[in-house]
Amino acid sequence: MVSPFPSLSEGRISWRPHHLCLLSPPTFPFCWLVCQCVDLYIMNCELLATCSALGYLEGDTYHKDPDCLESVKDLIRYLRHEDETRGVRQQLGAAQILQTDLLPILTQHHQDRPLFDAVIRLMVNLTQPALLCFGSVPKDPCPRHHFLQALDYLQAYKEAFASEKPFGVLSETLYELLQLGWEERQEEDNLLIERILLLVRNILHIPANLDREKSIDDGASVHDQLLWVIHLSGLDDLLLFLASSSAEQQWSLHVLEIISLMFRDQNPKLLAGVGQGHLAQERSTDVAELEVLRQREAAERKTRALQRGHRHSRFGGSYIIQGLKSIGDRDLIFHKGLHNLQNYSSDLGKQPQRVPKHRQAAQELSAQRRSALSVRLFLRDFCSEFLENCYNRLMGSVKGLLLRERAQQHDEVYYMWALAFFMAFNRAASFQPGLVSETLSVRTFHFIEQNLTTYYEMMLTDRKEATSWAHRTHLALKAYQELLAMVNEMDAAPDVAMRESSHIIKNNIFYVMEYRELFLTLFRKFDERHQPRSFLRDLVETTHLFLKMLERFCQSRGNLLVQNKQKKRKKKEKVLNQPVASDNAPCIPGGLEAVWPSLVEQLHCCVQDPELSLDSMVPFDAASEVPVEEQRAAAMVRVQDCLLAGQASQALTLLRSAREVWPEGDVFGSQDIPREEEIQLLKQILYTPLPPIGQPRVEEEEEEEQLQVVQVSEKEFNFLDYLKRFASSAVVRAYTLLLRTYPQNSPHTNHCVAKMLHRLAHDLNMEALLFQLSLFCLFNHLLSDPAAGAYKELVTFAKYILGKFFALAAVNPKVFVELLFWKNTAVVQEMAEGYGSLDGRSSHRPPVWSPEEEAQLQELYLTHKDVEGQDVADTIVAHLKAPRTRKQVICHLVRLGLADSVRDFQSRKRTHIVLWTEDQELELQRLFEEFQDSDDVLGHVMKNITAKRSRARIVDKLLALGLVADRRELYKKRQKKLVPSNWPKGEETLRDFCQKDLPEEDLPEEEGEEDGGNREDAEAEQAQGHSARLAESLRHNLYLEGFSAPLLWLQNCLLRVADDREEDGCSSAVPLVPLTEENEEAMENEQFQQLLIKLGVWPPASGQETFWRIPAKLSPTQLRRVAASLSQAEEEKEPLPGLEPKVLGEQGLEEAHQTEHQAQALRALLLAHRKEAGLVFLEAPESGVPGIQKKKRFQMQDEDENNNGPEA
């Protein structure tokens, strides 16, 4: 194939000066040789000797020295230890080592494998990007000079590589290495493959020197020459092979990076139309642009001809401009012709104000250009073949590496670039969604949205690297734009399946709130100092496409439900040290006397029932984290609740079950208690006012903390309400900024701008939002543009806005002043309806202070500001006539100048006394000595101390004075009492029993911190107790509904997962997959799902998972405890009293037998797992019904007392 570049076929060999010194040929002039040798003495002597030992070039043949390999290794070592100025790299670049030595060695001595490997290593090091060597672009002059010098040498390296020989050797070597199978390939072979790919990457990464090349469209730049050499050497085919081979996935990121650098200057839409009849369209576009320029030039020439005066310039005269003042008070005198009057400006002759660097607009990082036709044809064919054979596999492999965090930092930008480029090429070329199906999903939308959000947040926080983060944000936005464009094209496709797929994707995108809020956030965070104008253009076009798709989707459906998230502040209550009375405690003794006779009759019937099951009520939950003592106290309260509810059988069952679990101390009666004493014991429990377990108690004097809680709900979507979110000054300012460059914008970009401004002005009736002076100046420039005929849509819209403005100005003359300011929706409404029309409607604005109220406020402040022991703001709020909040009073005091800052006012809950005086310390010491022997030392001290302090302050002071050595000495002392078998009459014993089992509360250390820990403990105890009772009720109800087999299956799954986690030593979330119809029905049951949630099983993620999952955080011990807690529900056999068995037919009997056999099989399998896990259950000797699981220490006690006890 003939090269399209003439320079590629001409070999250019340049001699190095030190080679001339060594050879000293007589044909060279002596003076020139001496000058070159003197210049080389600037080079380091060791580096010069090393370079001289590489070899020399004679004609087209390179003769290597015997120490060539060692010299290359020495150069690698020198580069490894160079300083921050990169002096070794610069000296090697100035000596042209790569052009005159390394490239000839690479092409002529590639058979020497050790030398070839060393040369590749050295080339990879020499061609590293300058940005990578220096870390960032230096700002100081000297380091910046070194940076630019290194960049200049890299550009010279790129020109030297634009030859077919080096890439031919690289391609042949890479082909030979890829021919080796994975079992034949050594570690050195993999390293060489990676270094070759890195070398190609480094060469392609070198930026072009625009000043030196001065390339134009359809011309051959150095980058184009490099691409053509890659094509001639066959390296492009090897890249396609690496991208499509499943055995070479380790090189996926290298290949994707090389491909992105190959196409970095290309436009995918123009590239797709090369050679397919689109050249005529390109010509028509160029002709249209030239026609606009010609019209503008002709109009300017005509204007100049009309303004030319008939008289000589010396007789132009002088004029006085009325209404325009000069430096003094007189009118301005104009000494030029009238035709020059409109060009007059007061800024003529003035030096323009210099814009600081940190306020300058961001520059475009890359510019697209048209390469030579042959290069574009090659790239088009490469893209087509890549899409057909490589795209889906390569993008899936790269996505997997990114998700598993096996890639380097910021490698996801290449993934997003490839997604945007090749999807745009696919849309413009053939539009086959199947070729890009790997990246056409809701998960891809989520991945792009997450990265886009991360990038703009980092751009706001990492100010030093804001430009880099802005560039990554732009790449993510382009990828998001192409995803939306592809879905929009699929929506108009003739294939029904394709339209359904697009409908599903749109339904997911429009439902989630983050996708809808993304564009609003990007407009608000737009900063032209870091984000270039191209980013704003893509943002405007993407927003236009999203709004068009959303509007069409809403019109096609009657109503659209979307996700809505609200952040609410949840108040967290503090915990007191004194419990409140129980809500369940009986308040009217007469009421209990009326209830007890009916309970006695039920209890007599239940006591005489020998088949009363103990399994229906479980007082102990092994899977719960609540301590055993608290569960015992909670069981007593549950017995009382059952009696108050009239459930005598359940109260008796719960009492006997608790007696089996906690036999020590005869708290729930002795094992051989008579029936009459058992009934009297229940009466004692009923009449005793028991405190609640785990109920939080409110402290009125502590300030309430607030937490932000995100509440997710659904609401009906209204497109106009969503469009109102764009009616803000930040959005209008961004659109105005883009509209300033309307001559350079594409027609589609100008249409997007005009459409959005028309939506705000016409659809929302907010024309006044666009009444801004900068926008009107732009309209004036547009209407006076000679080529305004090419922008008909913009001209029509400008006339519409100006007409609305002058119509409103006739009614409200103040709109001329409003032109100077950017406005919000409230100001726009007031401009149209009248100023002050919103004062009565708005509930957010505080009421205005009248002069009388201000005078009263000032008088109250001066009166109470010096009074000690009271809060000034609270006192003023209490004495004001008009209702005001504390915040309003404080802010108005600051506004009036009576107070310097809001910080001058102490919080209403803050303690005013901070320091301890000597008398107060003596009083504290006296009170401590007085009540030292009492049960509640701290309570008596706080009650009798004169200067009221918090518990934490008093405890800290007692420790500081040395009166106590530990905080525990101040705990309230409680005497633990044991309940004998013959329960004494009275209420004190039972109350003491329930109170002694409650945990001792630690004293708070700080007012705002330590109390939070006690509060959280109390909330956790309440939640755990309530969760245990709810889980018990759910298990019981599920058993009654016939879900015994699914409960056995669930218990079996939990035990099996526990065994697997003990064997493997690692854990991961395990899905619960129901294989039978009965288990599937149970998993869809609402109560069964509630039970799973109480047991800690995770529900499936919305739209991402199908099955419930056992979380990885549950240890094998916890899993076995959860499984053991299910044993009571899944092994129940006896029905509850009062339930009559149903009569079953033959078919029902067969189904019952089948279900019973299945349950027996599961029960046997479960028993085997229990034996392996070492779980011990107590079986009833007579009825065979499994009993209540005992705590381990009770089992050990039973074994000591009776070695022949039952085991399971």
Side-chain angles (χ1 to χ4, degrees):
M1 185 179 295
V2 180
S3 172
F5 314 114
S7 61
L8 293 181
S9 58
E10 301 175 3
R12 293 177 297 183
I13 304 299
S14 57
W15 287 75
R16 277 217 319 273
H18 70 272
H19 284 165
L20 300 178
C21 294
L22 293 174
L23 297 177
S24 301
T27 56
F28 289 95
F30 177 75
C31 60
W32 180 87
L33 180 61
V34 172
C35 293
Q36 292 296 325
C37 292
V38 170
D39 293 337
L40 271 180
Y41 282 128
I42 303 175
M43 192 174 183
N44 184 272
C45 298
E46 295 182 0
L47 197 60
L48 177 60
T50 305
C51 295
S52 301
L54 291 173
Y56 62 94
L57 186 66
E58 186 176 6
D60 294 336
T61 306
Y62 189 87
H63 301 277
K64 65 173 184 176
D65 285 355
D67 298 332
C68 181
L69 177 59
E70 298 300 328
S71 299
V72 173
K73 293 181 180 180
D74 290 340
L75 292 178
I76 295 174
R77 185 168 59 254
Y78 291 152
L79 287 172
R80 187 184 301 124
H81 299 288
E82 63 181 347
D83 56 3
E84 59 183 9
T85 62
R86 308 302 174 189
V88 177
R89 194 176 304 271
Q90 294 188 48
Q91 294 181 34
L92 294 179
Q96 300 183 357
I97 292 295
L98 187 139
Q99 296 93 321
T100 57
D101 287 293
L102 300 183
L103 282 179
I105 294 175
L106 180 72
T107 56
Q108 299 181 22
H109 300 279
H110 58 274
Q111 295 84 2
D112 190 352
R113 180 63 180 272
L115 181 60
F116 182 81
D117 293 350
V119 170
I120 292 294
R121 286 179 57 193
L122 181 57
M123 284 185 171
V124 170
N125 200 335
L126 283 176
T127 56
Q128 279 185 358
L131 200 61
L132 184 62
C133 296
F134 288 85
S136 61
V137 180
K139 297 181 179 180
D140 297 335
C142 186
R144 189 177 182 85
H145 170 72
H146 295 311
F147 175 82
L148 296 177
Q149 193 68 34
L151 187 61
D152 190 28
Y153 294 141
L154 287 175
Q155 292 167 353
Y157 295 160
K158 188 172 184 178
E159 293 181 7
F161 264 97
S163 176
E164 187 176 351
K165 291 182 179 180
F167 275 96
V169 174
L170 294 177
S171 300
E172 291 177 4
T173 307
L174 185 60
Y175 177 77
E176 294 174 358
L177 294 173
L178 294 178
Q179 290 296 317
L180 300 175
W182 64 271
E183 68 279 356
E184 300 176 359
R185 195 179 298 175
Q186 303 296 326
E187 185 65 26
E188 293 79 7
D189 299 331
N190 289 328
L191 287 176
L192 185 56
I193 293 175
E194 185 176 8
R195 286 165 183 162
I196 291 176
L197 295 177
L198 288 177
L199 178 61
V200 177
R201 189 278 310 267
N202 291 345
I203 295 300
L204 290 172
H205 187 273
I206 299 173
N209 191 342
L210 301 179
D211 296 334
R212 183 186 303 174
E213 295 182 13
K214 297 181 180 179
S215 58
I216 59 175
D217 286 343
D218 298 323
S221 63
V222 175
H223 194 74
D224 294 339
Q225 298 176 24
L226 203 62
L227 293 178
W228 187 252
V229 167
I230 291 176
H231 175 53
L232 293 181
S233 63
L235 186 59
D236 55 338
D237 297 329
L238 295 177
L239 293 176
L240 292 174
F241 169 76
L242 289 173
S244 60
S245 176
S246 58
E248 306 293 344
Q249 292 187 4
Q250 54 182 332
W251 318 118
S252 299
L253 282 170
H254 294 289
V255 174
L256 186 62
E257 189 174 358
I258 291 174
I259 293 175
S260 67
L261 294 173
M262 289 173 59
F263 291 90
R264 66 180 179 185
D265 297 335
Q266 304 298 323
N267 188 331
K269 297 180 180 179
L270 297 179
L271 198 62
V274 175
Q276 298 181 2
H278 289 259
L279 292 178
Q281 183 179 359
E282 294 179 7
R283 271 193 219 96
S284 62
T285 304
D286 295 341
V287 169
E289 294 177 357
L290 290 175
E291 182 64 23
V292 170
L293 294 176
R294 193 190 64 80
Q295 291 178 3
R296 184 175 287 116
E297 185 179 359
E300 292 176 356
R301 189 184 304 111
K302 182 178 179 180
T303 303
R304 288 196 302 269
L306 293 176
Q307 292 178 353
R308 187 175 299 123
H310 299 289
R311 300 178 61 184
H312 196 270
S313 60
R314 288 179 295 177
F315 304 99
S318 299
Y319 303 91
I320 296 177
I321 304 177
Q322 295 182 356
L324 183 61
K325 298 296 182 180
S326 61
I327 298 178
D329 295 335
R330 299 181 180 181
D331 294 334
L332 180 68
I333 300 177
F334 187 68
H335 297 284
K336 296 183 179 180
L338 292 178
H339 58 277
N340 294 321
L341 180 60
Q342 65 177 4
N343 295 329
Y344 172 77
S345 174
S346 301
D347 296 332
L348 292 176
K350 295 181 180 179
Q351 185 176 2
Q353 187 177 3
R354 177 180 168 272
V355 180
K357 286 186 178 181
H358 66 278
R359 293 184 181 179
Q360 293 179 0
Q363 301 295 327
E364 299 290 342
L365 296 180
S366 61
Q368 295 180 349
R369 56 177 297 274
R370 286 202 305 264
S371 302
L373 180 59
S374 57
V375 176
R376 284 189 288 160
L377 289 172
F378 148 63
L379 294 178
R380 184 206 62 188
D381 297 339
F382 183 90
C383 285
S384 301
E385 191 171 353
F386 179 80
L387 281 173
E388 293 176 1
N389 304 319
C390 311
Y391 180 83
N392 287 330
R393 197 213 63 79
L394 181 65
M395 297 297 283
S397 176
V398 173
K399 180 70 173 295
L401 294 175
L402 294 175
L403 294 179
R404 292 192 298 269
E405 297 182 355
R406 296 181 58 185
Q408 295 182 359
Q409 193 177 14
H410 308 314
D411 275 349
E412 68 275 2
V413 297
Y414 299 107
Y415 176 85
M416 291 183 288
W417 175 91
L419 187 149
F421 186 89
F422 288 105
M423 292 186 80
F425 182 87
N426 184 27
R427 282 195 306 110
S430 58
F431 184 63
Q432 300 180 22
L435 300 180
V436 292
S437 59
E438 174 63 33
T439 55
L440 196 58
S441 63
V442 179
R443 293 188 177 184
T444 307
F445 273 95
H446 176 71
F447 179 78
I448 299 300
E449 188 270 337
Q450 289 292 318
N451 284 279
L452 186 56
T453 305
T454 303
Y455 291 155
Y456 79 73
E457 288 178 353
M458 291 301 300
M459 184 185 65
L460 298 177
T461 55
D462 190 4
R463 290 295 184 180
K464 293 183 178 180
E465 299 294 334
T467 304
S468 301
W469 291 113
H471 178 60
R472 299 184 186 105
T473 307
H474 192 185
L475 287 176
L477 180 64
K478 286 290 293 182
Y480 195 81
Q481 179 183 11
E482 287 304 325
L483 284 173
L484 289 175
M486 182 63 72
V487 174
N488 187 41
E489 292 287 341
M490 291 172 60
D491 202 20
D495 190 3
V496 178
M498 197 177 299
R499 292 200 301 269
E500 291 180 354
S501 300
S502 68
H503 182 79
I504 294 174
I505 294 176
K506 289 192 299 182
N507 197 11
N508 283 275
I509 295 171
F510 297 148
Y511 176 79
V512 180
M513 180 180 177
E514 283 76 12
Y515 296 119
R516 303 192 306 271
E517 299 293 327
L518 179 63
F519 302 101
L520 290 166
T521 306
L522 291 177
F523 273 117
R524 295 193 190 102
K525 305 300 182 182
F526 175 74
D527 188 357
E528 60 178 333
R529 298 173 300 174
H530 305 300
Q531 296 169 311
R533 197 66 56 89
S534 59
F535 174 84
L536 182 59
R537 181 186 67 245
D538 291 331
L539 178 58
V540 167
E541 294 179 357
T542 309
T543 305
H544 171 77
L545 178 60
F546 184 82
L547 290 177
K548 185 174 68 173
M549 294 172 59
L550 181 58
E551 184 179 17
R552 189 165 59 240
F553 190 77
C554 293
Q555 292 174 356
S556 63
R557 303 183 56 170
N559 56 346
L560 177 63
L561 292 178
V562 297
Q563 186 187 66
N564 184 36
K565 294 182 180 180
Q566 293 181 350
K567 289 185 177 180
K568 293 187 177 181
R569 306 189 73 87
K570 181 181 179 182
K571 296 181 179 180
K572 297 172 64 177
E573 296 177 346
K574 301 293 180 178
V575 179
L576 269 178
N577 295 323
Q578 298 296 333
V580 296
S582 173
D583 295 337
N584 298 330
C587 300
I588 304 176
L592 295 178
E593 293 293 344
V595 171
W596 177 246
S598 60
L599 290 175
V600 170
E601 296 178 1
Q602 299 181 22
L603 288 173
H604 279 294
C605 297
C606 296
V607 167
Q608 296 175 1
D609 187 6
E611 299 181 355
L612 184 64
S613 175
L614 300 181
D615 299 334
S616 59
M617 302 296 289
V618 182
F620 175 71
D621 189 359
S624 176
E625 297 180 358
V626 180
V628 180
E629 290 75 11
E630 295 182 27
Q631 292 194 39
R632 184 172 60 180
M636 188 69 69
V637 178
R638 289 173 57 194
V639 172
Q640 188 186 62
D641 293 340
C642 292
L643 292 173
L644 291 173
Q647 301 173 352
S649 61
Q650 295 186 10
L652 182 59
T653 303
L654 185 59
L655 179 66
R656 293 180 177 179
S657 300
R659 185 185 306 150
E660 293 288 339
V661 177
W662 296 287
E664 71 278 2
D666 295 338
V667 176
F668 295 94
S670 60
Q671 296 291 340
D672 53 351
I673 183 174
R675 296 177 180 178
E676 294 298 330
E677 293 186 8
E678 193 173 26
I679 294 176
Q680 291 299 322
L681 177 60
L682 289 173
K683 183 178 180 180
Q684 279 291 353
I685 296 175
L686 175 64
Y687 279 83
T688 303
L690 301 178
I693 304 301
Q695 180 177 351
R697 288 145 291 189
V698 181
E699 183 177 3
E700 298 178 355
E701 297 182 357
E702 291 293 335
E703 187 177 2
E704 295 176 342
E705 298 180 1
Q706 293 182 347
L707 291 178
Q708 283 191 353
V709 179
V710 179
Q711 294 185 352
V712 181
S713 59
E714 288 186 347
K715 69 173 183 179
E716 188 173 351
F717 182 76
N718 190 337
F719 181 75
L720 288 180
D721 291 342
Y722 175 69
L723 193 60
K724 289 178 182 178
R725 305 285 302 279
F726 289 89
S728 63
S729 58
V731 177
V732 177
R733 190 182 294 112
Y735 275 86
T736 304
L737 181 63
L738 184 60
L739 193 59
R740 291 178 185 174
T741 57
Y742 73 91
Q744 291 80 30
N745 296 340
S746 64
H748 177 65
T749 303
N750 289 331
H751 167 70
C752 294
V753 175
K755 181 62 178 178
M756 173 55 82
L757 297 181
H758 182 265
R759 287 182 187 273
L760 299 178
H762 181 268
D763 298 351
L764 299 180
N765 296 323
M766 292 186 181
E767 298 90 353
L769 190 66
L770 306 181
F771 295 168
Q772 220 283 329
L773 189 59
S774 60
L775 187 59
F776 276 24
C777 292
L778 186 57
F779 286 163
N780 182 39
H781 179 68
L782 174 65
L783 296 176
S784 61
D785 192 349
Y791 315 105
K792 295 181 179 180
E793 187 177 16
L794 294 177
V795 171
T796 305
F797 178 73
K799 292 180 179 179
Y800 169 76
I801 295 297
L802 291 174
K804 291 291 184 179
F805 172 76
F806 289 114
L808 183 60
V811 181
N812 182 12
K814 295 181 180 179
V815 295
F816 292 100
V817 182
E818 296 285 357
L819 283 175
L820 303 175
F821 309 100
W822 295 99
K823 293 162 281 294
N824 54 22
T825 54
V827 176
V828 168
Q829 193 170 356
E830 286 187 338
M831 289 172 60
E833 300 179 4
Y835 295 99
S837 59
L838 299 179
D839 293 342
R841 306 182 198 175
S842 178
S843 60
H844 300 286
R845 295 184 179 181
V848 182
W849 290 75
S850 62
E852 294 79 7
E853 293 175 347
E854 290 184 351
Q856 183 187 9
L857 176 65
Q858 184 175 2
E859 180 182 357
L860 290 173
Y861 177 74
L862 296 176
T863 303
H864 298 281
K865 69 175 183 177
D866 297 328
V867 179
E868 298 182 357
Q870 67 178 5
D871 188 87
V872 183
D874 289 343
T875 306
I876 294 176
V877 171
H879 288 80
L880 282 176
K881 298 180 180 179
R884 303 284 181 177
T885 63
R886 173 186 172 89
K887 183 177 180 180
Q888 293 175 358
V889 169
I890 294 176
C891 293
H892 205 67
L893 287 173
V894 175
R895 192 177 297 113
L896 292 176
L898 298 176
D900 297 333
S901 174
V902 180
R903 299 178 181 177
D904 296 343
F905 298 90
Q906 294 179 343
S907 175
R908 72 178 78 179
K909 304 301 180 185
R910 187 175 299 174
T911 306
H912 297 282
I913 303 176
V914 178
L915 299 177
W916 289 78
T917 63
E918 185 177 357
D919 295 338
Q920 293 171 353
E921 291 180 356
L922 294 175
E923 181 187 10
L924 178 63
Q925 186 175 0
R926 179 182 58 80
L927 291 174
F928 176 77
E929 295 174 354
E930 180 180 354
F931 300 105
Q932 186 174 5
D933 298 331
S934 63
D935 294 340
D936 188 7
V937 183
L938 191 59
H940 289 87
V941 170
M942 292 182 63
K943 184 178 180 180
N944 294 276
I945 196 169
T946 305
K948 300 300 180 182
R949 306 262 184 174
S950 64
R951 298 175 64 92
R953 302 301 179 191
I954 295 178
V955 171
D956 292 340
K957 196 61 181 177
L958 289 174
L959 291 172
L961 294 175
L963 299 177
V964 292
D966 191 2
R967 296 174 184 268
R968 299 179 182 179
E969 299 180 13
L970 300 175
Y971 288 175
K972 185 177 181 181
K973 301 180 180 62
R974 295 174 182 174
Q975 297 180 358
K976 298 185 178 180
K977 302 178 181 179
L978 297 177
V979 182
S981 60
N982 50 352
W983 191 290
K985 295 184 179 181
E987 301 178 355
E988 287 297 324
T989 306
L990 187 57
R991 186 186 300 110
D992 292 342
F993 156 72
C994 295
Q995 289 181 356
K996 76 183 180 63
D997 286 332
L998 294 177
E1000 293 285 346
E1001 294 182 358
D1002 295 339
L1003 294 176
E1005 298 181 2
E1006 293 294 335
E1007 291 182 342
E1009 298 178 359
E1010 284 73 6
D1011 290 345
N1014 294 334
R1015 173 189 48 74
E1016 293 175 358
D1017 294 341
E1019 291 181 354
E1021 293 170 6
Q1022 181 193 20
Q1024 290 169 356
H1026 178 70
S1027 176
R1029 291 192 294 270
L1030 184 58
E1032 175 190 356
S1033 176
L1034 290 173
R1035 290 195 296 266
H1036 178 65
N1037 294 336
L1038 289 172
Y1039 171 74
L1040 294 179
E1041 294 181 7
F1043 288 104
S1044 59
L1047 288 172
L1048 282 170
W1049 165 74
L1050 175 60
Q1051 193 174 20
N1052 186 24
C1053 292
L1054 294 173
L1055 292 175
R1056 187 166 57 247
V1057 172
D1059 296 340
D1060 294 341
R1061 290 183 179 178
E1062 276 190 348
E1063 294 176 1
D1064 299 340
C1066 58
S1067 59
S1068 60
V1070 179
L1072 290 174
V1073 183
L1075 300 179
T1076 63
E1077 184 177 355
E1078 187 177 8
N1079 294 341
E1080 290 182 1
E1081 182 181 356
M1083 295 298 291
E1084 296 175 358
N1085 184 275
E1086 184 177 357
Q1087 290 188 359
F1088 198 88
Q1089 292 178 356
Q1090 292 179 3
L1091 177 63
L1092 291 176
I1093 294 176
K1094 294 301 177 184
L1095 296 179
V1097 182
W1098 286 347
S1102 176
Q1104 305 292 331
E1105 297 174 353
T1106 306
F1107 303 107
W1108 290 68
R1109 296 175 181 271
I1110 302 174
K1113 64 180 181 180
L1114 293 180
S1115 63
T1117 305
Q1118 292 175 335
L1119 289 174
R1120 290 194 176 93
R1121 288 179 181 175
V1122 174
S1125 66
L1126 292 173
S1127 61
Q1128 302 301 325
E1130 55 90 8
E1131 293 180 358
E1132 289 181 354
K1133 294 183 179 179
E1134 298 296 331
L1136 287 177
L1139 293 177
E1140 297 293 335
K1142 297 182 180 179
V1143 180
L1144 300 176
E1146 296 181 359
Q1147 183 178 0
L1149 288 174
E1150 292 179 359
E1151 294 179 356
H1153 285 304
Q1154 183 178 0
T1155 305
E1156 183 64 25
H1157 288 311
Q1158 184 179 4
Q1160 290 178 2
L1162 288 175
R1163 204 172 284 119
L1165 183 60
L1166 180 62
L1167 185 59
H1169 279 288
R1170 285 175 182 168
K1171 289 181 179 180
E1172 295 178 2
L1175 295 175
V1176 181
F1177 292 90
L1178 191 63
E1179 296 183 357
E1182 297 180 359
S1183 61
V1185 180
I1188 303 173
Q1189 181 184 358
K1190 287 191 174 184
K1191 197 172 177 63
K1192 186 175 181 181
R1193 60 188 181 92
F1194 300 148
Q1195 297 167 5
M1196 296 173 61
Q1197 182 179 359
D1198 294 342
E1199 291 175 359
D1200 294 337
E1201 295 174 357
N1202 186 9
N1203 294 330
N1204 299 325
E1207 294 182 358

